[in-house]
Amino acid sequence: MPHLHLSHTANLAVDADAALAALNRVLLESGLFQAADIKSRAQVFEHYLVGADDRHTAYAHITLWLLSGRSEAVRALLAQQLLAALQHSVGRSATAVQLTVDIQEMARSVYAKAVLPPAP
């Protein structure tokens, strides 16, 4: 834990590997997580729409899933730090861009995890 999901529209040039590395650094530097526990992924959407008919505005969104128990202040700080890293990763664009971050909690009581060793 945590799980970070970055999604963005295809009209936004994002180096996903570099963005994920920067976002993972934010999580590591928070001191809240171990490197092996951070899982991140990126997804590009070819089909998207902003509002009723805007196919020009680009956007990127981060959802960060955390086990329950972190304070609202901690979650808010993580959201702002991730947003700053995302903004740096995206940089300037020829079109308008919306960047958003949402932090979700997963109930510890129903979260299960197994770590399997590599096959011999």
Side-chain angles (χ1 to χ4, degrees), residues 13-63:
V14 175
D15 179 340
D17 292 329
L20 292 177
L23 296 167
N24 281 11
R25 267 193 308 281
V26 167
L27 297 176
L28 279 172
E29 291 171 1
S30 74
L32 298 170
F33 314 104
Q34 299 297 316
D37 293 331
I38 299 170
K39 295 135 197 101
S40 59
R41 59 201 174 273
Q43 185 173 20
V44 179
F45 290 102
E46 294 291 331
H47 305 280
Y48 52 88
L49 183 64
V50 175
D53 64 358
D54 183 354
R55 291 179 182 10
H56 302 289
T57 296
Y59 64 88
H61 176 75
I62 294 171
T63 302

Side-chain angles (χ1 to χ4, degrees), residues 26-105:
V26 167
L27 297 176
L28 279 172
E29 291 171 1
S30 74
L32 298 170
F33 314 104
Q34 299 297 316
D37 293 331
I38 299 170
K39 295 135 197 101
S40 59
R41 59 201 174 273
Q43 185 173 20
V44 179
F45 290 102
E46 294 291 331
H47 305 280
Y48 52 88
L49 183 64
V50 175
D53 64 358
D54 183 354
R55 291 179 182 10
H56 302 289
T57 296
Y59 64 88
H61 176 75
I62 294 171
T63 302
L64 179 67
W65 291 92
L66 300 174
L67 288 175
S68 58
R70 310 267 185 220
S71 71
E72 186 173 332
V74 166
R75 293 190 319 266
L77 180 59
L78 281 172
Q80 289 303 313
Q81 291 171 334
L82 289 169
L83 182 62
L86 179 60
Q87 186 170 357
H88 180 76
S89 293
V90 168
R92 302 287 294 168
S93 176
T95 185
V97 180
Q98 295 183 21
L99 305 176
T100 55
V101 177
D102 181 33
I103 298 185
Q104 296 289 318
E105 288 189 298

